[in-house]
Each structure stands twice: as structure tokens, then as C-alpha cells.
Amino acid sequence: MAKLDTLTLRVIDPRAQRKFYCDVLGMSDQGDGRVGFSQNEIAIKFVKTAGPYTPQPSDIYWKIALSVPNIELACDQLQSAGVTCTDPKQFRDIGYLAHVTDPEGFTVELIEHWFKGDRPDGSHDTSQLGGGPCLNLVTLRTADISLIEPEILRWGMTQLSVQTVEPYGFTLYFYAFTNENPPNPDLKAIENRPWLYQRPYSVLEIQHVHDLSAVTFSAQENCGYGGLTISSAKAETYCPRLGVIGTK
């Protein structure tokens, strides 16, 4: 089965970035300059460039999200490591979230497996971030979901959830290379959301910004999104609108 393989980010200091993601977030060397948690999840590759990272609301790339069993534990661990972390907050009926930024300003979201107050009793592995992290989400933006969703489905991805966030002017769409189906066939069902954050593989999240005229890509000489690679036998896995290419 195809999988989300590599997220490439252009940065000023790839070595410092890899050190942060490994020493602080708990990733490990995945080979070829990539870091990640496991072969089931997407890896991150940092490539060197010159200009600083200046994120914009129209950027094609938004963030990654690490799902964890215990978000308070994760925040305490990060703060003990000297990393500034926002207080965990239940964001509407979307998820129980916190945020950090890496040394070059890229957003790393923490998202708990459960909504606030729903976590079952039990201990967690305190040797791992939040009790055991997964690189659960890679989030890209679009100004028109109708232009890219047919491509995503053609690659063989399964749509897992649709989350409308009307007061904030966007809708979230989630896709993965999986044979699993969410517990409720209604993709807008709230009960599907914690289930989504408990998946042990990476999911492509698309933020459709309703009033955005077009997404923007950072210049090659500047830090920012460098593309997303999908390992697949399908040579047609290609979407310049999302910066996605396929490899066999």
C-alpha cells in the first residue's frame, strides 16, 4: 500500500533541526537525512537554504501534529526541556490541543487521543513524549478543495473525516492510505475525531480556507515547505497544487 513517505522542509540549520526533533520530540534517524518516529509514519527531511522562515496565512504548508495519549504529560516534558508550550486547550469539538514552535519557527501541534476530560484512567510511558507520540497529521492548505480532492482520492487515499469550523472560516478534510473506516459512516460525526487522532499512521489534513483566493509557496531560496513525497507504485501520484510527488 502507498504511504505518506517524506515531508521536506527547507531550513537554515538542518543539523539543529534534526537535533531538536530527535532529542526533544523523541524522533530517530530514518536514513537519508530523515527523522521520524516509525516506518508507519511520515518522516521529515530538512534541507539547507538561506532565507529565514516567515509563515503567512496563505502558505500551502501549515503544520504537523503529534498525537499523544496524555497532552499534559507532553507539555510538562517539553517545558522541562526548556521549550515554550501553550497550555492544552479543548478547541471546540475538534480536539484537545497545544502548540510549540521548533527552533526555526515551524509549528508543531500536540493533539491528544481524546477530547478533554475523556482520557481513560491509566499510566503512560513517561520515557516517551506524552506517553508515546505519533506523527499523526501533516496539514496543507487549499483555496478550493474541489480542485484537489479528486487527485487525492485517485491516489487511493481514503477520506476519514470532515470538520467544519465555520466561525474561523475553514473546513478540515482528512485522508489516509488505509483500509480502515471511521466508526461512524457520517464523516462529519464528532465521534470519528478522537478515533482519527488515535491512528498509528500519518494522515493528510487539508485546511480549506473559504475566503482564500490562492495558496502561496515560499521562494526556493527561503525557508519553508519543500514538498511531500508519497511512496507508491503509481507514477501518476503527482499534484503540483499541493507540492506532492510520487516515488516507486
Side-chain angles (χ1 to χ4, degrees):
M1 178 180 288
K3 70 180 287 285
L4 296 175
D5 187 81
T6 305
L7 166 67
T8 299
L9 297 176
R10 299 192 302 271
V11 299
I12 292 174
D13 191 340
R15 175 182 284 186
Q17 287 289 92
R18 288 194 296 269
K19 181 176 176 59
F20 175 83
Y21 280 74
C22 291
D23 294 355
V24 176
L25 300 183
M27 294 185 182
S28 60
D29 184 2
Q30 299 291 307
D32 192 29
R34 304 178 309 139
V35 297
F37 290 118
S38 79
Q39 295 297 321
N40 294 328
E41 304 156 45
I42 195 169
I44 306 175
K45 185 172 185 175
F46 300 106
V47 297
K48 187 173 180 58
T49 192
Y53 180 52
T54 53
Q56 303 296 325
S58 62
D59 285 349
I60 180 71
Y61 177 76
W62 182 8
K63 61 177 175 60
I64 61 169
L66 309 183
S67 61
V68 294
N70 186 320
I71 197 168
E72 285 93 359
L73 172 61
C75 291
D76 288 345
Q77 291 167 319
L78 290 170
Q79 289 167 353
S80 295
V83 177
T84 300
C85 181
T86 65
D87 292 332
K89 179 181 179 181
Q90 178 65 39
F91 177 59
R92 304 181 64 82
D93 54 11
I94 302 301
Y96 190 23
L97 313 173
H99 295 90
V100 302
T101 55
D102 72 18
E104 296 206 16
F106 291 91
T107 296
V108 178
E109 183 175 83
L110 302 173
I111 186 165
E112 186 166 292
H113 289 176
W114 297 276
F115 286 174
K116 183 177 182 180
D118 291 346
R119 184 194 311 142
D121 293 335
S123 60
H124 298 98
D125 183 356
T126 58
S127 69
Q128 299 187 70
L129 182 69
C134 170
L135 205 170
N136 183 237
L137 305 175
V138 176
T139 310
L140 304 180
R141 290 190 178 98
T142 184
D144 189 345
I145 191 67
S146 68
L147 292 178
I148 62 170
E149 185 172 75
E151 290 290 309
I152 293 171
L153 297 178
R154 184 171 62 83
W155 302 338
M157 300 192 90
T158 299
Q159 190 171 27
L160 299 180
S161 182
V162 178
Q163 303 179 15
T164 302
V165 195
E166 286 295 346
Y168 292 82
F170 62 83
T171 301
L172 304 173
Y173 297 80
F174 299 83
Y175 311 85
F177 290 107
T178 180
N179 293 321
E180 292 188 300
N181 292 306
N184 190 323
D186 178 3
L187 296 181
K188 293 184 178 181
I190 294 174
E191 68 191 82
N192 290 339
R193 299 172 187 182
W195 173 88
L196 177 69
Y197 312 139
Q198 295 166 28
R199 298 307 89 206
Y201 46 78
S202 297
V203 174
L204 177 63
E205 176 185 16
I206 302 293
Q207 182 197 39
H208 176 205
V209 183
H210 301 161
D211 62 357
L212 187 63
S213 58
V215 295
T216 54
F217 288 78
S218 58
Q220 289 291 324
E221 65 271 18
N222 291 335
C223 294
Y225 176 61
L228 188 65
T229 301
I230 293 173
S231 62
S232 171
K234 294 183 177 180
E236 66 271 17
T237 305
Y238 175 69
C239 182
R241 288 190 177 93
L242 291 177
V244 170
I245 60 172
T247 60
K248 293 187 178 181

